[in-house]
Amino acid sequence: LYENFRDDACFFDIETTGLDERRDRVTTVSVHRGGETETFVRGRDLSADRLRDAFRDASLLVTFNGKRFDVPFLETSFDLSLDYPHLDLMYPCRQLGLTGGLKVIEGEIGVDRDRPDISGEDAVRLWREYERGDDDALETLVSYNREDAVNLRALSDTVADRLHADVFEPAVDGAE
């Protein structure tokens, strides 16, 4: 699926104030598509209409743990329907023996981060600091969220190449 739609894929990641889509709030959403990255921020430009526009005509959504977290959170919080083909990289990563969170897997495959010391828990803290008036905290949070979305492209390419080599090529060679 990814090999066929990679050029039109929509890579995205969200940050929230917690883990419960019914109680917590989405703080930022970064969408990486067509080589461009757009980040929406709660209280500024994060809205259902903006998200609908960002996902409109997507051939493929790509996330990490998005089936269980990002998609349900956005659908509940913004009354959206993200009914698009969806590649949740967590599952093919597991098939390849790549386990742990996104940052751990990125490290294993050699994807560098500007701020490898920031985690999802830090994202919640950064948002709280921003709410208390620290604009630098928001800048760091947005940078972190954007990097998550952009790095999904590199992870997708690596996963597709490895699956192709580890799964599909042996199956084809065995069939001959």
Side-chain angles (χ1 to χ4, degrees):
L1 185 65
Y2 178 70
E3 289 176 335
N4 290 327
F5 295 104
R6 105 175 51 212
D7 292 336
D8 297 320
C10 179
F11 307 88
F12 79 95
D13 184 68
I14 71 172
E15 302 304 333
T16 67
T17 58
L19 301 176
D20 184 344
E21 73 259 15
R22 303 226 179 266
R23 187 186 68 212
D24 295 306
R25 297 172 294 145
V26 178
T27 57
T28 61
V29 178
S30 287
V31 177
H32 182 70
R33 190 172 181 187
E36 300 292 324
T37 308
E38 192 169 15
T39 301
F40 305 103
V41 177
R42 180 177 192 78
R44 291 188 175 179
D45 56 1
L46 178 58
S47 69
D49 287 339
R50 295 295 298 267
L51 292 173
R52 278 187 200 94
D53 287 344
F55 293 117
R56 187 177 322 282
D57 302 323
S59 297
L60 177 66
L61 299 181
V62 181
T63 63
F64 189 91
N65 194 30
K67 285 188 187 235
R68 295 187 329 190
F69 187 75
D70 302 63
V71 169
F73 229 110
L74 290 180
E75 289 182 335
T76 299
S77 299
F78 294 96
D79 193 29
L80 293 175
S81 174
L82 296 178
D83 190 22
Y84 298 93
H86 183 178
L87 170 59
D88 185 334
L89 289 167
M90 185 173 70
Y91 302 103
C93 282
R94 285 182 183 169
Q95 184 176 352
L96 292 168
L98 297 168
T99 59
L102 178 60
K103 282 68 174 175
V104 170
I105 292 171
E106 287 174 348
E108 286 183 39
I109 66 168
V111 174
D112 292 326
R113 287 189 155 260
D114 288 338
R115 298 285 308 269
D117 56 322
I118 298 177
S119 69
E121 290 176 9
D122 292 316
V124 174
R125 177 187 52 77
L126 288 165
W127 180 257
R128 298 287 184 228
E129 290 174 8
Y130 165 67
E131 287 183 312
R132 289 190 297 270
D134 185 349
D135 288 338
D136 289 340
L138 179 61
E139 184 179 320
T140 301
L141 175 61
V142 166
S143 174
Y144 169 76
N145 184 225
R146 289 175 70 86
E147 202 166 28
D148 278 353
V150 170
N151 287 354
L152 289 173
R153 173 70 193 239
L155 179 58
S156 298
D157 289 342
T158 299
V159 166
D161 291 346
R162 287 188 184 180
L163 280 173
H164 192 85
D166 294 352
V167 177
F168 301 121
E169 286 178 11
V172 170
D173 291 342
E176 294 176 4

